[in-house]
């Protein structure tokens, strides 16, 4: 009996020991792996990107293009999610005035943004996105449109203020572009500045400008021989099956869709670290958006890249792309700063409408 009791006691002891061991593993394992699980289960950084259309695009949605790019970026990074929202200029302005800001902003001329809200780029420069004449760029174009003169005959010899109608499709300065292209006043820019060739203001003529769709219809109905329009008109003609000829515009362009990373307000402690992380991911997304892999797909929305070759040289879009990139031997001479105020934009269009080309160029240099 004693021997049997001893055996039973040993068995109980071993069972108790095994139970303790199992419980130790059960409770110790989560503690040992908690750091790894926490790291794997960390919530990704979430950034907001607001997109604003201020001028007509090509044939698709720029906001949807950004959403697709943001999704692809998130799949690559995995630790960052970018939420893209489509805003009107008025809606974004109201949000800014109430103290609400995104982490990134996609916008064009016609939206009154404050350049002080943006973080300067160290490795990107574009004169239209500086905010100041000699400062660093705080916004850079991720896609662009272009101006062109359209003719059904292909004969541009009669192009003048009397024979052209201007298509206006947003906050861009279409009349300014047309006036500069027509060259209403010949001037020479020398060491002493800009000189008028003697033509009087009374001899200068302004052009007729209409909303884009009305201008397009009036042109097709023969109201004017030429239409001064954009890439949007190129796709309108294509959809209609209209044979058209395009004369590219090199002298001026303001059809740039910019992107910038915002830095809104001072913060300390953990909030400051969060802002620093947001800026880092924001700049990373800008680099991703400007990479050739993404830029080469802008034909999906009928827009142009400042760097990637997308369209065939023998197409209307290809000719406009070459003019925009300066591949035809002529670079874009003038642009308007995207941070130009509403009052300055009105003054610019006023000079253009009155044919005051010398004053117009002086003004563009000053803002």
């Amino acid at each position: 009996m004693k021997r049997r009791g001893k055996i039973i006691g040993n068995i109980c002891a071993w069972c108790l020991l095994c139970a303790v061991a199992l419980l130790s593993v059960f409770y110790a394992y989560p503690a040992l792996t908690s750091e790894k699980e926490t790291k794997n289960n960390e919530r990704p950084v979430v950034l907001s990107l607001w997109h604003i259309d201020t001028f007509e695009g090509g044939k698709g949605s720029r906001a949807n293009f950004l959403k697709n790019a943001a999704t692809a970026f998130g799949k690559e990074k995995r630790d960052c999610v970018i939420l893209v929202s489509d805003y009107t200029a008025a809606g974004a302005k109201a949000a800014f005035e109430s103290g609400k800001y995104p982490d990134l902003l996609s916008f064009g001329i016609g939206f009154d943004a404050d350049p002080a809200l943006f973080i300067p780029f160290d490795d990107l420069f574009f004169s239209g996105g500086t905010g100041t004449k000699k400062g660093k760029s705080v916004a850079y174009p991720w896609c662009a449109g272009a101006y062109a003169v359209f003719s059904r005959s292909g004969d541009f010899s009669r192009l003048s203020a009397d024979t052209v109608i201007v298509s206006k499709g947003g906050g861009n300065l279409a009349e300014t572009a047309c006036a500069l292209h027509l060259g209403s006043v010949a001037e020479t820019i020398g060491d002493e500045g800009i000189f008028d060739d003697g033509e009087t203001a009374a001899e200068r003529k302004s052009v007729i400008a209409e909303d884009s769709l009305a201008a397009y219809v009036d042109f097709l109905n023969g109201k004017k021989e030429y239409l001064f329009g954009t890439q949007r008109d190129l796709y309108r003609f294509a959809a209609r099956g209209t044979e058209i000829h395009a004369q590219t515009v090199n002298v001026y362009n303001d059809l740039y869709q910019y992107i910038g990373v915002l830095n809104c307000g001072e913060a300390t402690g953990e909030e400051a670290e969060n802002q620093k992380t947001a800026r880092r991911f924001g700049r990373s997304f800008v680099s991703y958006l400007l990479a050739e892999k993404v830029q080469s797909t802008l034909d999906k929305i009928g827009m142009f890249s400042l760097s990637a070759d997308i369209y065939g040289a023998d197409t209307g879009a290809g000719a406009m792309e070459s003019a925009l990139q300066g591949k035809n031997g002529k670079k874009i001479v003038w642009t308007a700063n995207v941070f130009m105020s509403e009052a300055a934009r009105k003054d610019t269009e006023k000079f253009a409408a009155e044919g005051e080309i010398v004053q117009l160029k002086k003004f563009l240099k000053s803002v």
Side-chain angles (χ1 to χ4, degrees):
M1 287 293 291
K2 288 183 178 181
R3 181 178 177 83
R4 184 179 178 185
K6 186 176 181 180
I7 292 173
I8 293 173
N10 289 339
I11 292 174
C12 290
W14 276 106
C15 288
L16 181 61
L17 183 61
C18 289
V20 170
L22 287 171
L23 287 172
S24 298
V25 171
F26 180 78
Y27 285 106
Y29 181 76
L32 292 171
T33 59
S34 60
E35 182 178 351
K36 182 178 180 181
E37 288 183 354
T38 300
K39 185 175 181 180
N40 290 338
N41 293 327
E42 281 182 354
R43 295 181 63 184
V45 175
V46 179
L47 303 184
S48 58
L49 192 167
W50 294 1
H51 172 78
I52 306 168
D53 282 334
T54 59
F55 60 88
E56 288 189 313
K59 61 180 181 179
S61 167
R62 280 163 281 175
N64 286 342
F65 186 93
L66 284 175
K67 289 176 183 178
N68 292 334
T71 299
F73 176 78
K75 288 180 179 178
E76 283 193 10
K77 294 295 181 180
R78 294 191 178 277
D79 48 359
C80 180
V81 174
I82 298 178
L83 303 178
V84 180
S85 300
D86 199 357
Y87 271 76
T88 63
K93 181 180 179 181
F96 275 35
E97 290 174 348
S98 68
K100 297 178 182 178
Y101 304 96
D103 297 297
L104 298 111
L105 185 68
S106 167
F107 66 110
I109 189 168
F111 177 69
D112 293 332
D114 181 358
L117 295 175
F118 294 78
I119 300 172
F121 291 117
D122 292 326
D123 55 347
L124 297 171
F125 181 81
F126 191 78
S127 60
T130 58
T132 59
K133 286 198 297 184
K134 296 182 180 179
K136 287 186 176 181
S137 293
V138 296
Y140 192 86
W142 66 267
C143 74
Y147 291 106
V149 181
F150 298 100
S151 165
R152 300 189 73 171
S153 67
D155 179 4
F156 293 93
S157 62
R158 291 179 295 278
L159 178 62
S160 70
D162 290 324
T163 59
V164 67
I165 186 169
V166 176
S167 171
K168 298 184 67 172
N172 55 300
L173 308 179
E175 289 170 276
T176 295
C178 185
L180 290 171
H181 182 67
L182 292 177
S184 299
V185 177
E187 78 278 340
T188 302
I189 301 179
D191 294 337
E192 298 181 14
I194 302 174
F195 299 90
D196 196 325
D197 70 342
E199 190 175 43
T200 66
E203 294 172 319
R204 301 166 191 160
K205 296 180 179 179
S206 60
V207 296
I208 294 176
E210 295 180 349
D211 288 340
S212 61
L213 190 56
Y216 169 77
V217 172
D218 283 344
F219 167 71
L220 289 178
N221 289 336
K223 183 175 181 178
K224 293 289 183 179
E225 189 173 354
Y226 306 101
L227 172 69
F228 190 91
T230 71
Q231 73 291 333
R232 182 70 188 97
D233 296 293
L234 189 69
Y235 292 107
R236 284 191 178 114
F237 291 127
R240 184 185 175 90
T242 302
E243 184 178 350
I244 201 73
H245 302 271
Q247 181 186 77
T248 58
V249 174
N250 290 94
V251 68
Y252 175 88
N253 193 51
D254 58 15
L255 300 171
Y256 299 107
Q257 188 73 37
Y258 292 83
I259 191 164
V261 181
L262 275 71
N263 176 26
C264 305
E266 296 295 329
T268 58
E270 184 178 351
E271 182 62 26
E273 286 300 314
N274 291 340
Q275 285 189 3
K276 185 177 180 180
T277 300
R279 293 173 204 153
R280 176 167 58 85
F281 277 111
R283 286 191 291 264
S284 180
F285 178 70
V286 171
S287 297
Y288 177 84
L289 190 61
L290 296 179
E292 185 176 2
K293 179 174 68 173
V294 178
Q295 290 287 295
S296 62
T297 64
L298 284 171
D299 58 322
K300 293 179 180 178
I301 56 172
M303 299 299 285
F304 306 114
S305 168
L306 297 190
S307 56
D309 295 328
I310 306 173
Y311 303 94
D314 57 344
T315 65
M320 294 174 76
E321 177 185 69
S322 294
L324 180 70
Q325 297 176 355
K327 292 182 178 178
N328 56 2
K330 299 178 181 179
K331 293 184 178 180
I332 299 294
V333 180
W334 298 94
T335 189
N337 196 300
V338 71
F339 297 105
M340 181 186 288
S341 67
E342 182 180 3
R345 294 194 300 271
K346 287 181 178 179
D347 286 341
T348 303
E349 290 289 72
K350 178 176 179 291
F351 287 131
E354 295 175 352
E356 295 280 357
I357 306 303
V358 172
Q359 293 301 318
L360 173 60
K361 290 188 175 183
K362 285 182 178 179
F363 189 73
L364 284 173
K365 278 189 170 184
S366 69
V367 294

